[in-house]
Amino acid sequence: MNHIVILTGAGISAESGLGTFRDKDGLWTKYDLNEVATPEGFARNPDLVHEFYNARRTNCRSAQPNAAHAALARLQAEHSDRVTIITQNVDDLHERSGTTGVIHMHGELSGALCAACDHRWTAPQEMSPNDLCPSCNRTATRPDIVWFGEMPYRMDEIYQALSNADLFVAIGTSGNIYPAAGFVAEAHAVGTKTLELNLEPSTTAGTFDSAHFGPATEIVPRWVS
Ligand code: BV8
């Protein structure tokens, strides 16, 4: 097997009970993403944004990885350095199923960041605007999450992996958010085969060479085996 690059989205964690974003009862139907997932929203109302991520940190702690996470962990264990896993998700379910080296391009719920000195540390279960940065002692702390209008993390590594991939697989993502939604086109540009595994066709469905549809806990283990 050559090099596989896998991109996961909220759909891989859906059957673990973590809400998706744009499905009918998704997170963005309950919260205005401009209020809770932008730097401007955080500046306007840090309490609301901390409440949003504190609730998701609590949900994440009680969620369990599912058979789709486990299948990817098996794939990586069998083909270690030839599998790159990139996730848009901020949960740690890939890691808790045994996968290592996951590229969290949108950050992680477990991370805290100081906007003043760029120090990063493990976030407490509940964050608040009064938290002090352990390094510079200022109250400029925020969740280490990539919000809209902010540059996703480790993009150089991601484009490097895409340029060397023989297969690009998108799992459980609606293809609405860039730059992640553009990875399938990047893959095609260098002749890489592409596969979509999703509950239903994504916005970018037409650009994949092939696709299997169904719940991730069924179609991902079947694809991996
Ligand atoms: C950037 C935070 C540039 C973490 C997220 C104007 C101004 C600024 C930027 C833009 C602009 N116009 C466009 C942009 C780009 C913008 C963007 O894409 N906007 C959209 C609305 C068009 N992107 C950005 O801003 C990005 N940054 O462009 O920076 C830049 C350049 C130079 C210098 C500086 C900056 C940053 C994007 C990241 C934003 N952060 N989240 C958090 O709170 O979680 S995005 C959010 O959407 C999550 O991270 C999520 O992962 C991501 C994608 O969503 P999905 O994972 O796909 O989830 P969704 O609910 O949509 O779909 C679920 C899928 O699962 C569905 O397909 C469903 O069918 C499937 N499913 C459901 N159940 C199952 C299932 N599949 C299998 N099994 C099941 N059981």
Side-chain angles (χ1 to χ4, degrees):
M1 181 203 71
N2 298 314
H3 195 140
I4 295 188
V5 173
I6 297 169
L7 170 73
T8 63
I12 199 169
S13 297
E15 289 160 273
S16 295
L18 294 185
T20 63
F21 291 87
R22 293 163 193 87
D23 289 327
K24 61 182 176 4
D25 55 356
L27 281 168
W28 296 151
T29 61
K30 300 181 185 106
Y31 289 91
D32 175 351
L33 70 83
N34 295 305
E35 295 309 310
V36 293
T38 62
E40 298 79 9
F42 184 64
R44 270 194 301 276
N45 189 344
D47 283 304
L48 173 67
V49 176
H50 279 306
E51 177 195 304
F52 175 61
Y53 287 102
N54 290 344
R56 290 177 63 195
R57 231 174 259 111
T58 302
N59 293 344
C60 183
R61 199 176 44 173
S62 54
Q64 294 304 320
N66 62 51
H69 297 106
L72 294 188
R74 275 199 312 281
L75 180 74
Q76 185 191 54
E78 285 157 22
H79 304 283
S80 63
D81 57 345
R82 287 178 292 172
V83 176
T84 299
I85 297 181
I86 304 158
T87 188
Q88 299 171 90
N89 300 340
V90 294
D91 63 57
D92 60 352
L93 297 185
H94 281 301
E95 287 80 0
R96 284 164 55 195
S97 66
T99 302
T100 56
V102 178
I103 298 178
H104 280 271
M105 64 182 289
H106 292 163
E108 295 177 77
L109 281 173
S110 60
L113 167 66
C114 176
C117 72
D118 225 24
H119 179 64
R120 284 177 164 80
W121 65 100
T122 301
Q125 193 52 34
E126 302 264 319
M127 287 188 77
S128 96
N130 311 317
D131 293 344
L132 294 179
C133 165
S135 174
C136 73
N137 222 24
R138 281 175 281 188
T139 57
T141 61
R142 55 169 278 182
D144 189 9
I145 296 280
V146 176
W147 286 325
F148 287 95
E150 295 185 323
M151 179 54 88
Y153 291 149
R154 300 173 64 182
M155 291 306 295
D156 293 345
E157 279 177 73
I158 289 172
Y159 287 125
Q160 179 67 26
L162 285 170
S163 64
N164 295 322
D166 303 278
L167 176 64
F168 170 69
V169 186
I171 302 175
T173 179
S174 63
N176 282 303
I177 301 300
Y178 288 86
F183 292 172
V184 58
E186 298 284 336
H188 274 156
V190 292
T192 299
K193 284 277 171 244
T194 58
L195 167 67
E196 175 172 41
L197 302 179
N198 209 335
L199 187 63
E200 55 204 14
S202 66
T203 312
T204 50
T207 54
F208 286 86
D209 296 317
S210 56
H212 302 302
F213 298 118
T217 54
E218 288 173 22
I219 60 175
V220 177
R222 195 176 308 145
W223 169 68
V224 165
S225 61

